[in-house]
Amino acid sequence: MDTVTNVSARGEIAIELRGITKAFGSVIANNNIDLIIRRGEILALLGENGSGKTTLMNMLSGIYHPDSGRIYVNGNEVFIRSPQDATRLGIGMIHQHFKLVDVLTAADNIILGAGKGFLLRRNRFEEARKVAERYGMYIDPEKKIYEMSVSEKQTVEILKVLYRGANILILDEPTAVLTPQETQRLFEILRRMRDDGCAIVIITHKLNEVLEISDRVTILRRGESVATVKTSETNAAKLTEYMVGRPVTLKIERPDTKPTERLLNVYHLTVEDEDGVTRLDDVSFSLRGGEILGVAGVAGSGQKELCETIAGLHPIKKGAILYKKENIEGKTPREIIKLGISMSFIPEDRLGMGLAASLDIADNMMLKSYRDPKSPFTPRKAAEEMAKEVIKKLDIVTSGINQPVRMLSGGNVQKVLLGREIHVNPSVLITAYPVRGLDIGSSYVIYDALNEQKKRGVGVLYIGEDLDVMLELCDRIMVLCHGKVTGILNARTATKEQIGLLMAGATTNERYGEEVVPNE
Amino acid sequence: MNKAATGTHMPRFHIVKRVEMTRGEIFILNLYAVLIAIVAGGILIACMGINPVSFYGTVIVGCFRSALSVKSLIRIVIPLLIASIAVIPAFRMKFWNIGGEGQFIMGAVFASYVALFFPEGIPHLPLMLLMAIAGIIGGGIWALIPAFFKCKFGTNETLLTLMLNYIALYIIQYLRDGPWRDPAAGGFPKIAKFPERAWLDQLFGVDISWIVAVLLVIFMTIYLKRTKHGYEIAVVGDSVNTARYAGMNVNAVIMRTMFLSGAIAGLGGMLQVSGEATTHTLSMGIAGGVGFTAIIVVWLANLSPITTVAVATLIGMLDKGCGVAESTYGLSSAVSDILQGIILFTVLGAMFFTNYKIVFRSKQSIKSHTAAAPGGENK
């Protein structure tokens, strides 16, 4: 009876969803969705951010409960009320943010909570190794999680659900934190598991990955399932059209401009975090007016510290940052603003750093300029005017300038932030993941806005994660690995593989577009 | 076959996130909560063998039956209102200042020093001003201490402000039993009554602290809504990182705002100690818990200074009216505390429903569901 993982079960329906609906307040995350997941098959769940992919899968893993609709596992209707229920049904989900205990070993993390006794058994390392071997994976079971790379942690996550007997695997954006090479390794593992009879669902919004790994694709748009197609019978353009709802040209513009003077010079910058861990290690580069310099790297390679240090939010250990001729080391953000340095920083954490979520749009507009008037009162009138202009210019969907920012959608939040920053005509613009969480349409609005700044002669530092986008948008790409610059490439000639190797720690002497720094 | 499908029992109800409520809807929700509290309190009263309707009648009539009752109601409401206005800026900044009581007391202590020990030659008006300044400094310092430690060492402001309340209270005891003991009291430990030139003026038969309270409400409304300081408080309260990003000196904002918070509480203490409610002297009961009640008041008032006036008045009425009802029906003085507790409980409980709602499934839908699931529906 319990022969589901058997190869003979290939093609059999593992999970069937019928008419699943889930609403969060007025937002309908999933509307009447039907979905079939088969054994021995990799199903890609494709959709833009906010299209309801993760919500749908969270209902399978017992985190949410559908408002209506039915779930059948192996042909039986089930009500999955908790992650334990999901585990018992053989469903395992690997979340975007790992849920591991940092100070424990890989084996402990794999075995912990699997309900097989309270005491740690001596043979747990052996047991963990066996699970890994069965699926052709390699881990060191005695290694602590905090000593592991992101890709190793992910392996542990996968082994964790396999150890609990999962034969239906759901992976939420598994490649977001991996280098291209690590992604290939993950895909190998997934293929092997598929051939072993597992049912695999991979949630993603990256088209090339869908085409590479999946057998079937189900596309969600605004909470509805718009199509299910065989991967072999489709292509990137068609998939995008399903995702967006209309044909889209996938070409990002890269206007040719003549780079001007060096606006920002970073010399041998070394930065530590609060725990004394080196986050940036001897980083040197320069940023010219009229160019977009991309910064690539696996998440946590020092991108955040780089931005925050330039903005004056993070102390410098060694080295210097020069804006034109002015050394901004040791200056507070306010002093940097006061010096007349028009530098704009669009942080990664929009609501937690760039904006005050509970304040309305107009109040957020004056975040950096509220001190301007001499009187003790805020320049509310000017801020209201500015809010109206920005709303019009960037097409922000809102009920008005008095709407709190937290009630806006992700794309509109980002537009408010970008709108404020470019409204002051900066000469340097630093943006961290400006399109993260945005739909394709909004992303293009942002790319256009950045290109417009570039044409105005602004130096743009673009911290990104999607290499395909960066290769099209940026003029140069600097790659960071563990806080070190492993290379600066010409984006017009570089390849993804090249960048991938640099992200993983290989180095090159290429410093495209950098001049030899004169000794001072 | 069915055994394989675990978790087949369908949940009877579940909790769902709801659309964000408008201010009007929240107001109505709170109204319901108060209504439920009144009914629940009524049941309690009925259990004690008293007709709840006449009890509540007595509570309301008790507040307004004579000019004297109205005056005593005002005397209860004003210090509560001032103490409430005092904690609003700190709470807006998400600095949990539980120390309003202590700041109020220290304001009273500093003002008392001026009243008792400054040279006799100082005329009434300058003396009152000096007392006010002393009160502001006293309360301000008492609030600056936890702010300083929070900024410097990251200490927990809730614990520190709370403990400073007790220190302030026992400072009074020390002064009463020691250096400030009134030698004319014949061995009885008390602090001397202030000289008459340190008494608060009166207007319309009540002392002028009510004018100060009205001015403070207006000031606080404008301060929070329109000034740069108010803006900084809002941003720091929303996100410290955003404030830093905007170039604000977060520690300076915290210290400044806490000083203001303490200063207003201290001024309240000065007004109280020089007013008629305390018969113009400093005693252990000077604050009488207003600093704590103030937290409840501003929370119910959603940190709005204007709404605070209404809530403080209602709580004051409950206090005063229950006092009358207690003596009328011979009840314990705890009744008003219990009623306040019930109101707070229901209103805070109702907050859950501003974000969530509970969806029930009827028995029928569960039945039809299980009936329509005959094991395998393979296709």
Side-chain angles (χ1 to χ4, degrees), chain B residues 331-354:
Chain B
L331 294 171
S332 138
S333 65
V335 171
S336 98
D337 288 344
I338 292 173
L339 285 180
Q340 270 185 42
I342 294 174
I343 290 181
L344 193 70
F345 185 82
T346 54
V347 172
L348 294 183
M351 274 184 181
F352 174 79
F353 294 97
T354 59

Side-chain angles (χ1 to χ4, degrees), chain A residues 390-432:
Chain A
V390 169
I391 288 171
K392 212 169 128 202
K393 193 171 167 202
L394 291 177
D395 231 352
I396 296 169
V397 182
T398 165
S399 64
I401 56 170
N402 296 323
Q403 191 172 28
V405 168
R406 84 183 121 87
M407 315 250 296
L408 301 176
S409 72
N412 288 308
V413 166
Q414 182 68 347
K415 285 179 187 171
V416 169
L417 184 52
L418 184 72
R420 182 185 72 210
E421 292 305 312
I422 59 182
H423 193 267
V424 296
N425 293 328
S427 65
V428 170
L429 184 63
I430 300 161
T431 69

Side-chain angles (χ1 to χ4, degrees), chain B residues 71-122:
Chain B
K71 258 165 103 178
S72 75
L73 173 65
I74 292 173
R75 265 188 225 134
I76 293 172
V77 171
I78 295 304
L80 180 59
L81 179 57
I82 296 176
S84 305
I85 295 295
V87 292
I88 287 176
F91 276 26
R92 283 257 180 133
M93 199 171 61
K94 300 223 168 83
F95 188 103
W96 306 120
N97 178 16
I98 311 297
E101 183 89 352
Q103 292 143 24
F104 192 92
I105 290 174
M106 286 316 279
V109 168
F110 273 51
S112 301
Y113 178 79
V114 173
L116 293 170
F117 301 106
F118 269 38
E120 273 175 41
I122 304 174

Side-chain angles (χ1 to χ4, degrees), chain A residues 1 18 23-26 65-67 69-70 72 74-79 81 85 88-89 313 333-334 337 345 347 351-359 363 366-368 370-371 373 375-378 380 406-407 420-421, chain B residues 1-2 4-11 14-20 94 222 225-229 231-232 234-235 238-249 357 361 368-370 372-379:
Chain A
M1 197 158 211
R18 277 197 219 152
F24 296 101
S26 63
H65 315 284
D67 294 343
R70 289 162 188 204
Y72 300 90
N74 302 329
N76 300 319
E77 180 167 25
V78 292
F79 302 99
R81 289 168 306 171
D85 282 354
R88 254 175 273 142
L89 290 166
L313 292 164
R334 181 159 183 197
I337 296 170
F345 168 37
L351 289 180
M353 185 170 233
L355 297 167
S358 58
L359 271 54
D363 272 345
M366 61 183 176
L367 191 64
K368 283 177 168 173
Y370 75 97
R371 294 184 199 86
S375 81
F377 298 101
T378 51
R380 173 78 191 179
R406 84 183 121 87
M407 315 250 296
R420 182 185 72 210
E421 292 305 312
Chain B
M1 192 74 180
N2 255 333
T6 51
T8 39
H9 172 68
M10 190 175 187
H14 58 186
I15 290 158
V16 175
K17 213 161 177 181
R18 68 181 301 156
V19 194
E20 206 154 326
K94 300 223 168 83
I222 296 170
K225 239 198 184 128
R226 290 278 164 252
T227 69
K228 292 176 183 175
H229 284 188
Y231 181 72
E232 287 173 340
V235 175
D238 190 281
S239 157
V240 170
N241 273 333
T242 302
R244 277 184 359 107
Y245 165 85
M248 292 174 192
N249 185 340
K357 61 182 173 189
R361 278 185 233 254
S368 71
H369 228 108
T370 26
E377 289 200 22
N378 274 323
K379 274 175 204 158

Side-chain angles (χ1 to χ4, degrees), chain A residues 11 25 32 47 57 79 90 94 96 135 137 153 179 186 190 216 249 269 273 337 363 373 389 432 463 479 481:
Chain A
N32 198 19
M57 289 301 112
F79 302 99
I94 288 115
Q96 213 170 348
Y135 291 93
M137 288 181 250
K153 286 182 194 170
T179 65
L186 172 69
L190 294 184
R216 254 179 344 127
T249 45
L269 184 67
D273 66 10
I337 296 170
D363 272 345
E389 269 175 52
I463 319 284
V479 187
C481 177

